Amino acid sequence: MSATLEPRHVKAISRNRRVAGADPDKRHQILEGAHAVFTARGFDAASMNDIAAAANVSKGTLYVYFEDKEHLFVALIEREREKQKQGMYEALAEEPGLEQALTNFGSGLVRLLTNPFALSAHRIVLGVAERMPDLGREFYERGPMQGAQRLAAFLDQRVAKSELAIDDTALAAAQFVDLAQSTLMRPRLFNAVRTPPSEDEIARVVGEAVAMFMMRYGVKKP
Amino acid sequence: MSATLEPRHVKAISRNRRVAGADPDKRHQILEGAHAVFTARGFDAASMNDIAAAANVSKGTLYVYFEDKEHLFVALIEREREKQKQGMYEALAEEPGLEQALTNFGSGLVRLLTNPFALSAHRIVLGVAERMPDLGREFYERGPMQGAQRLAAFLDQRVAKSELAIDDTALAAAQFVDLAQSTLMRPRLFNAVRTPPSEDEIARVVGEAVAMFMMRYGVKKP
Amino acid sequence: MSATLEPRHVKAISRNRRVAGADPDKRHQILEGAHAVFTARGFDAASMNDIAAAANVSKGTLYVYFEDKEHLFVALIEREREKQKQGMYEALAEEPGLEQALTNFGSGLVRLLTNPFALSAHRIVLGVAERMPDLGREFYERGPMQGAQRLAAFLDQRVAKSELAIDDTALAAAQFVDLAQSTLMRPRLFNAVRTPPSEDEIARVVGEAVAMFMMRYGVKKP
Amino acid sequence: MSATLEPRHVKAISRNRRVAGADPDKRHQILEGAHAVFTARGFDAASMNDIAAAANVSKGTLYVYFEDKEHLFVALIEREREKQKQGMYEALAEEPGLEQALTNFGSGLVRLLTNPFALSAHRIVLGVAERMPDLGREFYERGPMQGAQRLAAFLDQRVAKSELAIDDTALAAAQFVDLAQSTLMRPRLFNAVRTPPSEDEIARVVGEAVAMFMMRYGVKKP
DNA sequence: GATGAATGAGCCTTCATTCAT
DNA sequence: CATGAATGAAGGCTCATTCAT
């Protein structure tokens, strides 16, 4: 008796070990489907049915892994943010020349922001920001705000080294971030331009941003 | 006698001119209700029921004045845009000093963009831009893009007068517009900051924008 | 004073003379519009709005002349029936040969029944017969039943003259009516055939009907 | 042991085979409700709400099993047609005497056509034939037209055997079908007569039809 | 845990009818 | 009497969520 486990028991045991919605593969699978559907349709127009189908999972399973539609969406946003932040700040950590660091950071930022999913995420989060202010705030704080803060910290270092002369590095960082996107991000966000900017465009705009920034905050060397 | 029209006649005349759904008061009333509900909930979460209630009008009446929910929404957006554009470009038409003109324009712009309805309109339009790209494009072109173009035209004039040295005035205009909003617009849009910026904040940020802009593009006088 | 009537009084007087919905022109105008719309859409899919527009009359006026949609429809059916019955029974009144009389009556009947409005009326009345049994019965009694009765009366005369030998002239009349339509009416009613039968087809089918009828009920002359 | 399937397994298997909306019991249940409501009210006046209530099923479930109201209705019509066609053509296949075959076929036909649901189906299909011509055509082709064609084929056989002399068997078949219904079907269809014809009435009318038919097309034997 | 059929609240829209002018 | 804006009940349909299996 003890030698043979009937299938039923095996299942019972393995079930006991599991926590609700803890199969990472299935979770991943669901998020992939959700990504596709939310991206294509926006929050409200995306149906749990579509998501279940896109994820190749039953509708019920969705609710095993995520409390409801909103939680699923938030989890997706969080995953995507983490995924995309990777490598974003390397430009600031390495030790190239100051202008080169800014150029690398700026163009990385623009590439990140103008890619389709980042745009979708922005649109969706902004679209629900009124109803779900916490989601909006969190998205802002962990995304754009954090980017500016890291850049500000970088600028602080360079001010300390007397390579830059900046009173308010927080503002300066925001200025640079905005300059780098000038002309490129907004029309994409409104869907008025359907293709990501070319590398040449990025280089030109970021180049101008660096030039302007240095002219304002750069320290002239004798 | 013949010089005065009795009220009865006036009404009769105005009634004859009337087209279905053309009572301007009722139309206004509906748009007010729609404004309130769309602003509070976004496009999808706003129900025609709620809008009818908010406008103190029957559901059927909504459809006498507007073809459907989307048309109502677009009409609202258009009305608000017109309402808010008034006086926006005066700063560029008057003849104060160059820096003063930029300062006035920049602070006007920021005040406009950070007020609650402009934010709502932005959020809603962005939220549906994926599904309604035409609306997104139009909103962009008639709003942000037009603002930048007018500023670019202004810059062209000043370049012609040798007060500024700018290669690409379109880019320069976008840069100024972005600098003027730095720090102020984005957190508002994400609903991470719930109150409009103070006049002092605006003055500071716009001041920095003007300073940076002039340092980059200004022509030094001997 | 008594010599001049102010317009107001004139109106008051003329108004007093009128009975509700008694302007025959307007009534006719409304029925024309109703005809067009009911015919094109059927009872339920026809809206009072459409009818008002088609009749070039305000929606309110509809209700001055007809109690409600159903009464309007019934009035229309009645008018059309009268309109179309004209001349139907002449063939039976004149004194041609027996077979010629049957042929004329039969082809007149088929022409009447397969024309577009008669088909529409049939369809509509049948479509609502479940909900409005009185309308169905009345339509039947004043239309098809009456036609058969008149033919039966005609047959009675000819039986009296020993031109025909029929036990049950009511049944014989119905048989002839059905034979005359064989093949022609049903597919039209179901909209499976979109054009009225040609005169040749009518002649052939009615000819066969007469032949069959005479073979069964005709009295052989020595 | 291996020979018997435990219920659990049976269910598991049947569940795996299941497609959305394929539970035959529920489907049947819905069709029953739809039958009741459509029959009582006609197509337009029948609401999905009523049908759901009559079927003891939620409104949503209706849409799991049927795409929309029209598809539900068509499915119902099809089911009823199949249900009622059973046994219709047996009379023509068996080998009784010619007149007996016609009599059996004719009375079967009349019984079928004058029963309440067939009448309802006719009324409904005719009522919507203007707006849904395909449904009308299909109903006609698979119902009345097919009946006439089968009879025509039967007549062809008997012509080949020299039992009948018919030029146009298609027309002759239609004639017989119409004669068999004379007096019985039309008043029922218009709801002018509320009860099905008695067997005696049927026998009399069909008898007359056969007599007339044979007199016209029968081959006299020496 | 996984499934997907079932639910029912709620959505947008239409339309017969009313009524102030 | 004529008008047509306004009404609000009702319609077809969708969808997030639940729950028996």
Side-chain angles (χ1 to χ4, degrees), chain C residues 39 41 44-45 120 122-123 126-127 129-131 133 136-137 139-140 168 171 174-175 178 182-183 186 189-192 194 204 208 212-213 215-216, chain D residues 39 41 44-45 120 122-123 126-127 129-131 133 136-137 139-140 168 171 174-175 178 182-183 186 189-192 194 204 208 212-213 215-216:
Chain C
T39 279
R41 301 231 229 296
D44 289 282
S120 276
H122 263 85
R123 286 187 199 119
L126 289 172
E130 207 101 44
R131 274 182 290 159
R137 188 180 33 73
F139 186 91
Y140 170 72
D168 183 342
L171 175 58
Q175 288 176 319
D178 285 324
S182 241
T183 277
R186 213 188 309 273
L189 205 49
F190 281 105
N191 227 341
R194 304 299 196 94
R204 188 175 69 94
E208 288 294 331
M212 201 164 188
F213 189 83
M215 203 159 275
R216 172 72 181 86
Chain D
T39 275
R41 300 230 229 297
D44 289 283
S120 277
H122 263 83
R123 285 187 200 118
L126 289 172
E130 202 102 44
R131 272 179 296 155
R137 188 179 33 72
F139 187 91
Y140 170 70
D168 183 343
L171 176 58
Q175 287 176 321
D178 285 325
S182 241
T183 280
R186 212 187 309 274
L189 205 49
F190 280 103
N191 228 342
R194 306 298 196 95
R204 189 175 67 94
E208 288 296 329
M212 202 163 187
F213 190 84
M215 203 159 275
R216 171 72 180 86

Coordinates of all heavy atoms in Angstrom, one line a residue, chain C residues 39 41 44-45 120 122-123 126-127 129-131 133 136-137 139-140 168 171 174-175 178 182-183 186 189-192 194 204 208 212-213 215-216, chain D residues 39 41 44-45 120 122-123 126-127 129-131 133 136-137 139-140 168 171 174-175 178 182-183 186 189-192 194 204 208 212-213 215-216:
Chain C
T39 N -43.9 49.6 -46.5 CA -43.6 48.7 -47.6 C -42.1 48.3 -47.6 O -41.7 47.1 -47.8 CB -44.0 49.4 -48.9 OG1 -45.4 49.2 -49.1 CG2 -43.2 48.7 -50.1
R41 N -39.9 48.4 -45.0 CA -39.3 47.9 -43.8 C -40.1 46.9 -43.0 O -39.6 46.3 -42.1 CB -39.0 49.1 -42.9 CG -38.1 50.1 -43.5 CD -36.9 50.4 -42.5 NE -36.7 51.8 -42.3 CZ -36.3 52.7 -43.2 NH1 -36.1 52.3 -44.4 NH2 -36.1 53.9 -42.9
D44 N -42.6 46.5 -37.7 CA -41.8 46.9 -36.6 C -40.6 47.7 -36.9 O -40.2 48.6 -36.2 CB -41.3 45.6 -35.9 CG -42.4 44.9 -35.1 OD1 -42.8 45.4 -34.0 OD2 -43.0 43.9 -35.7
A45 N -40.0 47.4 -38.1 CA -38.8 48.1 -38.4 C -39.1 49.5 -39.0 O -38.2 50.3 -39.2 CB -38.0 47.3 -39.4
S120 N -46.2 43.2 -49.9 CA -45.8 43.8 -48.7 C -47.0 43.8 -47.7 O -46.8 43.4 -46.5 CB -45.5 45.3 -48.9 OG -44.1 45.4 -49.3
H122 N -49.5 41.7 -47.5 CA -49.6 40.4 -47.1 C -48.6 40.0 -46.0 O -48.9 39.5 -44.9 CB -49.4 39.4 -48.2 CG -50.7 38.9 -48.8 ND1 -51.4 39.7 -49.8 CD2 -51.4 37.8 -48.6 CE1 -52.5 39.0 -50.1 NE2 -52.5 37.9 -49.5
R123 N -47.3 40.3 -46.4 CA -46.2 40.0 -45.4 C -46.4 40.7 -44.1 O -46.3 40.0 -43.0 CB -44.9 40.4 -46.0 CG -44.4 39.6 -47.1 CD -43.0 39.9 -47.6 NE -42.7 39.4 -48.9 CZ -42.4 40.2 -49.9 NH1 -42.4 41.5 -49.8 NH2 -42.2 39.6 -51.1
L126 N -49.5 39.3 -42.2 CA -49.2 37.9 -41.7 C -48.2 38.0 -40.5 O -48.3 37.3 -39.5 CB -48.6 37.1 -42.8 CG -49.7 36.7 -43.8 CD1 -49.1 36.0 -45.0 CD2 -50.8 35.8 -43.2
G127 N -47.2 38.9 -40.7 CA -46.2 39.0 -39.7 C -46.7 39.5 -38.3 O -46.2 39.1 -37.3
A129 N -50.0 38.9 -37.5 CA -51.3 38.3 -37.3 C -51.4 37.6 -35.9 O -52.5 37.5 -35.3 CB -51.5 37.3 -38.4
E130 N -50.2 37.2 -35.4 CA -50.2 36.5 -34.1 C -50.6 37.5 -33.0 O -51.4 37.2 -32.1 CB -48.8 35.9 -33.8 CG -48.8 34.7 -32.9 CD -48.7 33.5 -33.8 OE1 -47.9 33.4 -34.7 OE2 -49.4 32.5 -33.5
R131 N -50.0 38.7 -33.1 CA -50.2 39.7 -32.1 C -51.5 40.5 -32.3 O -52.0 41.1 -31.4 CB -49.0 40.8 -32.1 CG -47.8 40.4 -31.4 CD -46.8 41.5 -31.5 NE -46.2 41.7 -32.8 CZ -45.6 42.8 -33.3 NH1 -45.6 43.9 -32.5 NH2 -45.1 42.8 -34.5
P133 N -54.7 39.6 -34.0 CA -55.5 38.7 -34.8 C -56.7 39.3 -35.5 O -57.0 38.9 -36.6 CB -56.0 37.7 -33.7 CG -55.4 38.1 -32.4 CD -54.8 39.4 -32.6
G136 N -55.6 40.5 -38.8 CA -55.4 39.4 -39.7 C -56.8 38.9 -40.3 O -56.9 38.8 -41.5
R137 N -57.7 38.7 -39.3 CA -59.0 38.2 -39.8 C -59.7 39.2 -40.7 O -60.2 38.8 -41.8 CB -59.9 38.0 -38.5 CG -61.2 37.3 -38.8 CD -62.0 37.1 -37.6 NE -61.9 38.1 -36.6 CZ -62.4 39.4 -36.7 NH1 -63.1 39.7 -37.8 NH2 -62.2 40.2 -35.7
F139 N -58.4 41.5 -42.6 CA -57.7 41.5 -43.9 C -58.1 40.3 -44.7 O -58.4 40.4 -45.9 CB -56.2 41.5 -43.6 CG -55.3 41.6 -44.9 CD1 -54.9 42.9 -45.3 CD2 -55.0 40.5 -45.6 CE1 -54.2 43.1 -46.4 CE2 -54.2 40.7 -46.8 CZ -53.8 42.0 -47.2
Y140 N -58.1 39.2 -44.1 CA -58.5 38.0 -44.8 C -60.0 38.1 -45.3 O -60.3 37.8 -46.5 CB -58.4 36.7 -43.9 CG -59.0 35.5 -44.5 CD1 -58.4 34.9 -45.5 CD2 -60.2 35.0 -43.9 CE1 -59.0 33.7 -46.1 CE2 -60.8 33.8 -44.5 CZ -60.2 33.2 -45.6 OH -60.7 32.1 -46.1
D168 N -70.3 22.1 -54.3 CA -69.9 23.1 -53.3 C -69.2 24.2 -54.0 O -68.0 24.2 -54.2 CB -69.0 22.4 -52.3 CG -68.5 23.3 -51.2 OD1 -68.6 24.5 -51.3 OD2 -68.0 22.7 -50.2
L171 N -66.1 25.9 -52.2 CA -64.9 25.1 -52.3 C -64.3 25.3 -53.8 O -63.1 25.5 -54.0 CB -65.1 23.6 -52.0 CG -63.9 22.7 -52.3 CD1 -62.7 23.2 -51.5 CD2 -64.2 21.3 -51.9
A174 N -62.6 28.6 -54.2 CA -61.3 28.6 -53.6 C -60.3 27.8 -54.4 O -59.2 28.2 -54.6 CB -61.4 28.0 -52.2
Q175 N -60.8 26.7 -54.9 CA -59.9 25.8 -55.8 C -59.4 26.6 -57.0 O -58.2 26.6 -57.3 CB -60.6 24.6 -56.2 CG -60.8 23.6 -55.1 CD -61.6 22.4 -55.6 OE1 -62.6 22.5 -56.3 NE2 -61.2 21.2 -55.2
D178 N -56.9 29.3 -56.0 CA -55.6 28.7 -55.7 C -54.9 28.2 -56.9 O -53.6 28.4 -57.1 CB -55.7 27.6 -54.7 CG -56.0 28.1 -53.3 OD1 -55.4 29.2 -52.9 OD2 -56.8 27.5 -52.5
S182 N -51.1 29.2 -58.6 CA -50.1 28.1 -58.4 C -48.7 28.5 -59.0 O -48.7 28.9 -60.2 CB -50.6 26.8 -59.1 OG -50.7 25.8 -58.1
T183 N -47.7 28.3 -58.2 CA -46.4 28.5 -58.8 C -46.0 30.0 -58.8 O -44.8 30.4 -58.9 CB -46.3 28.0 -60.3 OG1 -46.1 26.6 -60.2 CG2 -45.3 28.7 -61.1
R186 N -46.6 32.1 -54.3 CA -45.8 31.7 -53.1 C -44.3 32.2 -53.1 O -43.9 32.8 -52.2 CB -45.9 30.2 -52.8 CG -45.9 29.9 -51.4 CD -45.8 28.3 -51.1 NE -46.9 27.6 -51.9 CZ -48.1 27.4 -51.4 NH1 -48.4 27.8 -50.2 NH2 -49.0 26.8 -52.2
L189 N -44.1 35.7 -52.4 CA -44.4 36.1 -51.0 C -43.1 35.9 -50.1 O -42.8 36.7 -49.2 CB -45.5 35.2 -50.5 CG -46.4 35.8 -49.4 CD1 -46.8 37.2 -49.6 CD2 -47.6 34.9 -49.2
F190 N -42.4 34.8 -50.4 CA -41.2 34.5 -49.6 C -40.0 35.3 -50.1 O -38.9 35.1 -49.6 CB -40.9 33.0 -49.7 CG -41.8 32.2 -48.7 CD1 -42.8 31.4 -49.2 CD2 -41.5 32.2 -47.4 CE1 -43.6 30.6 -48.4 CE2 -42.3 31.4 -46.5 CZ -43.3 30.6 -47.0
N191 N -40.2 36.1 -51.1 CA -39.1 36.9 -51.6 C -38.1 36.1 -52.3 O -36.9 36.4 -52.4 CB -38.5 37.8 -50.5 CG -38.3 39.2 -50.9 OD1 -38.3 39.5 -52.1 ND2 -38.1 40.1 -50.0
A192 N -38.5 34.9 -52.7 CA -37.5 34.0 -53.4 C -37.4 34.3 -54.8 O -36.5 34.0 -55.5 CB -37.9 32.5 -53.2
R194 N -37.8 37.8 -57.3 CA -37.9 39.2 -57.1 C -38.7 40.0 -58.1 O -38.9 41.2 -58.0 CB -36.4 39.8 -57.0 CG -35.6 39.2 -56.0 CD -36.1 39.4 -54.5 NE -35.1 39.1 -53.5 CZ -34.4 40.0 -53.0 NH1 -34.5 41.3 -53.3 NH2 -33.4 39.7 -52.1
R204 N -50.3 31.3 -69.1 CA -50.1 29.8 -69.1 C -50.7 29.2 -67.8 O -51.5 28.3 -67.9 CB -48.6 29.4 -69.1 CG -48.3 28.0 -69.3 CD -46.9 27.7 -69.5 NE -46.1 27.9 -68.3 CZ -45.8 27.0 -67.4 NH1 -46.2 25.7 -67.6 NH2 -45.2 27.2 -66.3
E208 N -54.1 26.9 -67.6 CA -54.1 25.5 -67.0 C -55.2 25.4 -65.9 O -55.9 24.4 -65.8 CB -52.8 25.1 -66.4 CG -51.7 24.8 -67.5 CD -52.1 23.6 -68.4 OE1 -52.8 22.7 -67.8 OE2 -51.7 23.6 -69.6
M212 N -58.3 22.9 -66.1 CA -58.5 21.9 -65.0 C -59.9 22.1 -64.4 O -60.7 21.1 -64.2 CB -57.5 22.1 -63.9 CG -57.3 20.9 -63.0 SD -55.7 21.1 -62.1 CE -55.6 19.5 -61.4
F213 N -60.2 23.3 -64.2 CA -61.5 23.6 -63.6 C -62.7 23.2 -64.5 O -63.6 22.6 -64.0 CB -61.6 25.2 -63.3 CG -62.8 25.6 -62.5 CD1 -62.7 25.6 -61.1 CD2 -63.9 26.0 -63.1 CE1 -63.8 25.9 -60.3 CE2 -65.0 26.4 -62.3 CZ -65.0 26.4 -60.9
M215 N -62.6 20.9 -66.8 CA -62.7 19.5 -66.9 C -63.4 18.9 -65.8 O -64.1 17.8 -65.9 CB -61.2 19.0 -67.0 CG -61.1 17.6 -67.7 SD -59.5 17.4 -68.3 CE -59.5 18.2 -69.9
R216 N -63.2 19.5 -64.6 CA -63.9 19.0 -63.4 C -65.3 19.4 -63.3 O -66.2 18.5 -63.0 CB -63.1 19.5 -62.2 CG -63.7 19.1 -60.8 CD -63.6 17.6 -60.5 NE -64.2 17.3 -59.2 CZ -65.5 17.0 -59.0 NH1 -66.3 17.0 -60.1 NH2 -66.0 16.7 -57.8
Chain D
T39 N -43.2 32.3 -31.2 CA -44.5 31.8 -31.7 C -45.6 32.8 -31.1 O -46.6 33.1 -31.9 CB -44.8 30.4 -31.1 OG1 -44.2 29.5 -32.1 CG2 -46.3 30.1 -31.0
R41 N -45.3 35.9 -30.2 CA -45.2 37.4 -30.4 C -44.6 37.7 -31.8 O -44.7 38.9 -32.2 CB -44.2 38.0 -29.4 CG -44.6 37.8 -27.9 CD -44.5 39.1 -27.2 NE -43.8 39.0 -26.0 CZ -44.1 38.3 -24.9 NH1 -45.2 37.6 -25.0 NH2 -43.4 38.3 -23.8
D44 N -40.0 40.5 -34.2 CA -39.6 41.7 -33.6 C -40.1 41.9 -32.2 O -39.4 42.4 -31.3 CB -40.1 42.9 -34.4 CG -39.3 43.0 -35.7 OD1 -38.1 43.5 -35.7 OD2 -39.8 42.5 -36.8
A45 N -41.3 41.5 -31.9 CA -41.9 41.7 -30.6 C -41.4 40.7 -29.6 O -41.6 40.9 -28.4 CB -43.4 41.6 -30.7
S120 N -47.0 29.6 -37.3 CA -46.1 30.6 -36.7 C -44.9 30.8 -37.5 O -44.5 32.0 -37.8 CB -45.7 30.2 -35.2 OG -46.7 30.6 -34.4
H122 N -44.3 30.2 -40.6 CA -44.7 30.9 -41.8 C -44.9 32.4 -41.6 O -44.3 33.2 -42.3 CB -46.0 30.3 -42.4 CG -45.9 29.2 -43.4 ND1 -45.6 27.9 -43.1 CD2 -45.9 29.3 -44.8 CE1 -45.5 27.2 -44.3 NE2 -45.6 28.1 -45.3
R123 N -45.7 32.7 -40.6 CA -46.0 34.1 -40.3 C -44.7 34.9 -40.1 O -44.5 36.0 -40.6 CB -46.9 34.2 -39.1 CG -48.3 33.8 -39.4 CD -49.2 34.1 -38.2 NE -50.4 33.3 -38.3 CZ -50.8 32.4 -37.5 NH1 -50.1 32.2 -36.4 NH2 -52.0 31.8 -37.7
L126 N -42.5 35.1 -43.2 CA -43.1 36.1 -44.1 C -42.9 37.5 -43.6 O -42.7 38.4 -44.4 CB -44.5 35.7 -44.4 CG -44.7 34.4 -45.2 CD1 -46.2 34.0 -45.3 CD2 -44.1 34.6 -46.6
G127 N -43.1 37.6 -42.3 CA -43.1 39.0 -41.7 C -41.7 39.6 -41.9 O -41.6 40.9 -41.9
A129 N -39.5 38.7 -44.3 CA -39.0 38.4 -45.6 C -38.5 39.6 -46.4 O -37.6 39.5 -47.2 CB -40.0 37.6 -46.5
E130 N -39.1 40.7 -46.1 CA -38.7 42.0 -46.8 C -37.3 42.4 -46.3 O -36.5 42.7 -47.1 CB -39.7 43.1 -46.4 CG -39.7 44.2 -47.4 CD -41.0 44.1 -48.3 OE1 -42.0 43.8 -47.8 OE2 -40.8 44.3 -49.5
R131 N -37.1 42.3 -45.0 CA -35.8 42.7 -44.5 C -34.7 41.6 -44.6 O -33.5 41.8 -44.6 CB -35.9 43.0 -43.0 CG -36.3 44.5 -42.8 CD -36.4 44.7 -41.3 NE -37.5 43.9 -40.7 CZ -37.5 43.6 -39.4 NH1 -36.6 43.9 -38.6 NH2 -38.6 42.9 -38.9
P133 N -34.3 38.7 -46.9 CA -34.8 37.9 -48.1 C -34.1 36.6 -48.1 O -34.8 35.6 -48.6 CB -34.3 38.8 -49.3 CG -33.7 40.0 -48.7 CD -33.5 39.9 -47.3
G136 N -36.1 34.2 -46.2 CA -37.3 33.9 -46.9 C -37.1 32.9 -48.0 O -37.8 31.8 -48.0
R137 N -36.1 33.1 -48.8 CA -35.8 32.2 -49.9 C -35.5 30.8 -49.4 O -36.0 29.8 -49.9 CB -34.7 32.8 -50.7 CG -34.4 32.0 -52.0 CD -33.3 32.6 -52.8 NE -32.2 33.2 -52.0 CZ -31.4 32.5 -51.3 NH1 -31.4 31.2 -51.3 NH2 -30.4 33.1 -50.6
F139 N -36.2 29.4 -46.6 CA -37.4 28.8 -46.0 C -38.3 28.2 -47.1 O -38.7 27.1 -47.1 CB -38.1 29.8 -45.2 CG -39.3 29.2 -44.4 CD1 -39.1 28.7 -43.1 CD2 -40.6 29.1 -45.0 CE1 -40.2 28.2 -42.4 CE2 -41.6 28.5 -44.3 CZ -41.4 28.1 -43.0
Y140 N -38.4 29.0 -48.1 CA -39.2 28.6 -49.3 C -38.6 27.4 -50.0 O -39.3 26.4 -50.2 CB -39.4 29.7 -50.3 CG -40.1 29.3 -51.5 CD1 -41.4 28.9 -51.6 CD2 -39.3 29.2 -52.7 CE1 -42.0 28.5 -52.8 CE2 -39.9 28.8 -53.9 CZ -41.2 28.5 -53.9 OH -41.8 28.0 -55.1
D168 N -46.3 19.2 -67.9 CA -45.4 20.0 -67.0 C -45.7 19.4 -65.6 O -46.6 19.9 -64.9 CB -45.8 21.4 -67.1 CG -44.9 22.3 -66.3 OD1 -44.3 21.8 -65.3 OD2 -44.9 23.5 -66.5
L171 N -45.6 22.1 -62.6 CA -46.8 22.8 -62.5 C -47.9 21.9 -61.9 O -48.6 22.3 -60.9 CB -47.3 23.4 -63.8 CG -48.6 24.1 -63.7 CD1 -48.6 25.3 -62.8 CD2 -49.0 24.6 -65.1
A174 N -47.4 21.6 -58.2 CA -47.8 22.8 -57.5 C -49.3 22.9 -57.4 O -49.9 23.2 -56.4 CB -47.2 24.0 -58.1
Q175 N -50.0 22.5 -58.5 CA -51.4 22.6 -58.5 C -52.0 21.7 -57.4 O -52.9 22.1 -56.7 CB -52.0 22.2 -59.9 CG -51.7 23.3 -60.9 CD -52.2 22.8 -62.3 OE1 -52.0 21.6 -62.7 NE2 -52.8 23.7 -63.1
D178 N -51.6 23.0 -54.0 CA -52.5 24.1 -53.7 C -53.9 23.7 -53.5 O -54.6 24.2 -52.6 CB -52.4 25.2 -54.8 CG -51.1 26.0 -54.7 OD1 -50.7 26.3 -53.5 OD2 -50.5 26.4 -55.7
S182 N -56.6 24.1 -50.3 CA -57.7 25.1 -50.6 C -58.7 25.2 -49.4 O -59.1 24.2 -48.9 CB -58.5 24.6 -51.8 OG -58.4 25.6 -52.8
T183 N -58.9 26.5 -49.0 CA -59.9 26.6 -48.0 C -59.4 26.4 -46.6 O -59.9 26.9 -45.6 CB -61.1 25.6 -48.2 OG1 -61.9 26.2 -49.2 CG2 -61.9 25.4 -46.9
R186 N -55.2 29.1 -45.8 CA -55.2 30.6 -45.8 C -55.8 31.2 -44.6 O -55.2 32.0 -43.9 CB -55.7 31.1 -47.1 CG -55.1 32.4 -47.5 CD -55.8 33.1 -48.7 NE -56.0 32.1 -49.8 CZ -55.1 31.9 -50.7 NH1 -53.9 32.5 -50.7 NH2 -55.3 31.0 -51.7
L189 N -53.7 30.9 -41.6 CA -52.5 31.7 -41.7 C -52.8 33.1 -41.2 O -52.0 33.8 -40.5 CB -51.9 31.7 -43.1 CG -50.5 32.0 -43.3 CD1 -49.6 31.2 -42.4 CD2 -50.1 31.8 -44.8
F190 N -54.0 33.6 -41.6 CA -54.4 35.0 -41.2 C -54.9 35.0 -39.8 O -55.4 36.1 -39.4 CB -55.4 35.5 -42.2 CG -54.8 36.1 -43.5 CD1 -54.8 35.3 -44.7 CD2 -54.1 37.3 -43.5 CE1 -54.2 35.8 -45.9 CE2 -53.5 37.8 -44.7 CZ -53.6 37.0 -45.9
N191 N -55.0 33.9 -39.2 CA -55.5 33.8 -37.9 C -57.0 34.1 -37.8 O -57.5 34.5 -36.8 CB -54.8 34.8 -36.9 CG -54.4 34.1 -35.6 OD1 -54.9 33.1 -35.3 ND2 -53.4 34.7 -34.9
A192 N -57.7 33.9 -39.0 CA -59.1 34.1 -39.0 C -59.9 32.9 -38.5 O -61.0 32.9 -38.2 CB -59.6 34.4 -40.4
R194 N -59.2 29.8 -35.7 CA -58.3 29.5 -34.6 C -58.0 28.0 -34.4 O -57.2 27.7 -33.5 CB -58.8 30.1 -33.3 CG -59.0 31.6 -33.4 CD -57.7 32.4 -33.8 NE -57.9 33.8 -33.5 CZ -57.5 34.4 -32.4 NH1 -56.9 33.7 -31.5 NH2 -57.7 35.6 -32.2
R204 N -62.3 15.6 -46.9 CA -63.2 16.1 -48.0 C -62.4 17.0 -49.0 O -62.4 16.7 -50.2 CB -64.3 17.0 -47.4 CG -65.3 17.4 -48.4 CD -66.5 18.2 -47.7 NE -66.0 19.4 -47.2 CZ -66.2 20.6 -47.9 NH1 -66.7 20.6 -49.1 NH2 -65.8 21.7 -47.4
E208 N -61.4 16.0 -52.9 CA -61.8 16.8 -54.0 C -60.5 17.2 -54.9 O -60.6 17.2 -56.1 CB -62.5 18.1 -53.6 CG -63.9 18.0 -53.1 CD -64.8 17.4 -54.2 OE1 -64.6 17.7 -55.4 OE2 -65.8 16.7 -53.8
M212 N -60.2 16.1 -58.7 CA -59.9 17.1 -59.8 C -58.6 16.8 -60.5 O -58.6 16.8 -61.8 CB -59.8 18.5 -59.1 CG -60.0 19.6 -60.0 SD -60.3 21.1 -59.0 CE -60.8 22.3 -60.3
F213 N -57.6 16.4 -59.8 CA -56.3 16.1 -60.3 C -56.4 14.9 -61.3 O -55.9 15.0 -62.4 CB -55.3 15.8 -59.2 CG -53.9 15.7 -59.7 CD1 -53.1 16.9 -59.8 CD2 -53.3 14.5 -60.0 CE1 -51.8 16.8 -60.2 CE2 -52.0 14.4 -60.4 CZ -51.2 15.6 -60.5
M215 N -59.0 13.8 -62.8 CA -59.9 14.0 -63.9 C -59.1 14.8 -65.0 O -59.3 14.6 -66.2 CB -61.0 14.9 -63.4 CG -62.2 14.8 -64.4 SD -63.7 15.3 -63.5 CE -64.2 13.7 -62.7
R216 N -58.1 15.6 -64.5 CA -57.3 16.4 -65.5 C -56.2 15.5 -66.1 O -55.9 15.6 -67.3 CB -56.8 17.6 -64.8 CG -55.8 18.4 -65.6 CD -56.4 19.2 -66.7 NE -55.5 20.0 -67.5 CZ -54.8 19.5 -68.5 NH1 -54.9 18.2 -68.8 NH2 -53.9 20.3 -69.1

